Amino acid sequence: MAEGLIERRPAPGIVPARSAPAERMPAKALRALPPVAVLAVVFLYPLALVVQESLAPGAYAEVFSSASFRDALVTTVWLAVASTAGCLALGFVLALVIAFVPFPGGKAVSKSIDVFLSFPSFLITLALLFLYGTVGMANGIWTDVTGDPAGPFRFLSTPWGVLLAEITYFTPFVMRPLLAAFSQMETAQLEVASSLGARPLRIVRQVILPEALPALAAGGSLVLVMCLNEFGIVLFTGAKGVTTLPMLVYGKAILESDYAAACVVAVVNVALSVGLYVLYRGVSRRAGA
């Protein structure tokens, strides 16, 4: 018994290994303090102020009962869903062409997508206005050819113009992860499928698409969240009758000086974005992405 007790005692001067992590914990906590403090000052404190302002008596009941809020919520959701669907379809086709169809300048086009991602959203909207606006190039050419002073292209001031602008701007956000996924695919799979007589559409459906699903989910979720919070495109198109949640926040806070109502709408917008992100993480985790 005495020998067993002696064997269990640690040798003099030797510190048990499990105490080392405990000693490193204060150092790790100290290193984490600066970023946590910056996050609290820059993000959490303003967010807390917005939530506090939204808790004004009767603010939520007044906003939720208003027709303008319900219309803005429906408009925001359907525009975001439609834009995401359009970006997924167009981005998948364009990424397929760039990755698997050889053509001159293909690498330059692929690299230019990264440059396109850095453009502000209002710049793309202004380009569309110069092309298809009321006094844009397309209407100017129509007037020169037919003599009609009123051109036929007036869709930019409608919800369809906002939809076109969002699809144009956000499609590269889907293409970027798709091109990264396609670059890692083994061409042997495509060659085997082609040698077995599979048609191109079948190869895309059964070989390429399953490999692209995680990238499509990542790009689509990013585009959906960004479309829910998009402000510049809706503002610069000047679409009549198109009021999204960010535009409603702007109108309540800047034009009407109703800060409580603006904070309520902002909280709802944040809750939608966070909820979609949590849903995306759960789906991607189950899919093993």
Side-chain angles (χ1 to χ4, degrees), residues 197-288:
R199 296 182 178 275
L201 289 179
R202 186 176 180 182
I203 294 176
V204 171
R205 185 176 65 253
Q206 296 185 356
V207 180
I208 298 178
L209 184 58
E211 296 290 336
L213 286 180
L216 282 172
S221 62
L222 176 63
V223 169
L224 183 60
V225 173
M226 295 178 70
C227 288
L228 284 174
N229 298 282
E230 181 54 41
F231 175 75
I233 289 178
V234 183
L235 180 65
F236 274 81
T237 54
K240 299 178 180 178
V242 180
T243 303
T244 59
L245 290 180
M247 287 292 295
L248 188 61
V249 172
Y250 173 80
K252 292 291 184 181
I254 305 300
L255 302 180
E256 302 178 15
S257 298
D258 190 353
Y259 297 108
C263 290
V264 171
V265 179
V267 169
V268 173
N269 204 357
V270 171
L272 278 176
S273 301
V274 174
L276 284 173
Y277 175 77
V278 172
L279 179 63
Y280 158 69
R281 293 298 300 173
V283 171
S284 62
R285 190 180 296 111
R286 289 185 179 183

Side-chain angles (χ1 to χ4, degrees), residues 79-100:
L79 273 177
V81 173
S83 299
T84 302
C87 290
L88 288 175
L90 182 60
F92 183 71
V93 173
L94 293 178
L96 276 178
V97 173
I98 294 175
F100 299 109

Side-chain angles (χ1 to χ4, degrees), residues 37 64 70 76 101 106-107 150 189 225 227 246 260 265:
F64 288 169
R70 294 193 296 268
T76 301
V101 179
K107 292 184 178 180
Q189 299 178 0
V225 173
C227 288
V265 179

Side-chain angles (χ1 to χ4, degrees), residues 4 13 37 42 48-49 98 112 121 124 133 155 178 235 274 281:
V42 175
L49 290 179
I98 294 175
S112 66
S121 58
I124 305 302
F155 61 89
L178 280 175
L235 180 65
V274 174
R281 293 298 300 173

